[in-house]
Amino acid sequence: MLRSLARGSLLVLMFTATTALLAAPVLAQEADGPAPLSVYGALPSLEMLELSPSGQRLAFITVTGEARTLVLLDLTTREQVGGADVGVAKVRDLDWLGEDQILVTTSKTENIPASASRAPRCLAARSMTPAGTVSSRC
């Protein structure tokens, strides 16, 4: 019974100490003012990671502002083996077509001057190789 009480007291003490340690940064931050919104609202800089069928290559999209770029990496050498500028179009999907081509599906919203209604989307598909764009269709 005495051991059980001692063990329970030790657990309460450990819980209290852990809670105090975890709360210390929050309390210190409140003293300095609220955290800037950029801490909570930063958008991801990588999108759409896709592994090749053999698992030796990785394709992904990097984002800088609104501009997107396709990057192709060789995982065995850890070097970039290709890539292409996608522009401001939104990348909807990446699909490997074998080991040497990747299909990039994008969409872009554009205004049509004759219509005051909602702007339609143009879905585009691009087939790219490590050397660059092979074909593009909208």
Side-chain angles (χ1 to χ4, degrees):
M1 172 86 174
L2 201 51
R3 281 188 176 167
S4 166
L5 280 173
R7 191 177 313 159
S9 297
L10 182 60
L11 287 174
V12 169
L13 181 61
M14 287 175 56
F15 176 76
T16 305
T18 303
T19 304
L21 287 173
L22 292 175
V26 174
L27 294 174
Q29 189 173 13
E30 287 177 4
D32 295 338
L37 291 177
S38 61
V39 172
Y40 303 106
L43 295 174
S45 59
L46 293 178
E47 297 177 345
M48 300 283 178
L49 286 111
E50 193 68 33
L51 196 58
S52 70
S54 70
Q56 293 181 351
R57 291 189 176 173
L58 181 68
F60 59 91
I61 302 295
T62 61
V63 182
T64 306
E66 291 292 318
R68 289 169 175 78
T69 305
L70 171 69
V71 177
L72 300 173
L73 294 179
D74 186 322
L75 297 177
T76 56
T77 62
R78 296 183 182 202
E79 292 182 4
Q80 183 172 344
V81 293
D85 181 32
V86 179
V88 296
K90 290 187 172 110
V91 177
R92 301 298 181 183
D93 199 14
L94 291 177
D95 288 308
W96 282 93
L97 305 174
E99 198 62 29
D100 295 323
Q101 284 189 320
I102 188 155
L103 178 68
V104 181
T105 305
T106 62
S107 71
K108 189 175 178 183
T109 303
E110 295 185 14
N111 290 328
I112 298 176
S115 174
S117 65
R118 216 173 124 201
R121 283 195 176 139
C122 172
L123 292 176
R126 295 179 186 175
S127 174
M128 298 182 179
T129 65
T133 302
V134 172
S135 64
S136 181
R137 189 184 322 184
C138 183

